[in-house]
Amino acid sequence: MNSPRLLLTVGLILLFLGWIIHLLIIMRVIPSTFTLNFLTWIFSMSGLFLGFIGAALWGKMRKR
């Protein structure tokens, strides 16, 4: 997991997955449960953190 591009890609996928599941819950396609809401929150937060880490590593590599 040292590749910044991989971290950014996984982070982006997790962010979109969390967003899409939230959207489906709001549209009442998927029933809203505590577990599903917590899981989408985890997807969003982990995607955000992986994206920040990937962007920081990318900037560090480009600075050299």
Side-chain angles (χ1 to χ4, degrees):
M1 290 291 277
N2 290 335
S3 171
R5 184 171 288 173
L6 178 65
L7 287 174
L8 284 170
T9 304
V10 171
L12 187 65
I13 289 170
L14 285 172
L15 277 172
F16 278 139
L17 186 63
W19 184 79
I20 289 170
I21 293 173
H22 274 298
L23 184 65
L24 292 174
I25 289 172
I26 291 171
M27 292 172 36
R28 297 182 190 264
V29 174
I30 300 174
S32 177
T33 62
F34 177 77
T35 306
L36 189 59
N37 287 323
F38 187 67
L39 188 65
T40 57
W41 179 77
I42 289 174
F43 285 164
S44 296
M45 287 297 108
S46 58
L48 183 69
F49 287 130
L50 284 176
F52 278 142
I53 292 169
L57 287 175
W58 187 314
K60 184 178 178 182
M61 284 179 51
R62 302 222 356 131
K63 199 172 191 179
R64 290 183 191 176

